[in-house]
Amino acid sequence: MKGRDYLWCLANTLVDREEELDRMCPGCRARALEARCSVCGREEAGGPEEIVNPAFDMERFEALRGGERLA
């Protein structure tokens, strides 16, 4: 595919999404536009400062950021 093909697909995807939203009642449209978790569907917490990644290793991050080598 060429760049123009990707652009055409993206433009049509956006148009399809708008048409989908236009067919919804105001309540469902508002809910569809809310920020939601892509896994469980719950409303997302405020901003990125409230997001916690349990798999993140702060010690390893600090070591790599400082240029130290890990064993």
Side-chain angles (χ1 to χ4, degrees), residues 7 16-17 23 27 32 37-39 42-43 48 57 62:
L7 180 60
D16 290 345
R17 173 74 173 148
R23 288 192 303 266
C37 173
S38 60
V39 177
R42 281 190 279 174
E43 275 192 61
D57 184 353
E62 290 296 336

Side-chain angles (χ1 to χ4, degrees), residues 25-36:
C25 70
C28 290
R29 182 182 173 96
R31 181 157 181 190
L33 294 173
E34 290 175 354
R36 299 212 166 258

Side-chain angles (χ1 to χ4, degrees), residues 47-66:
E49 65 278 351
E50 295 182 30
I51 297 173
V52 176
N53 180 354
F56 184 75
D57 184 353
M58 182 57 86
E59 289 180 23
R60 184 168 191 264
F61 173 77
E62 290 296 336
L64 292 172
R65 186 173 94 178

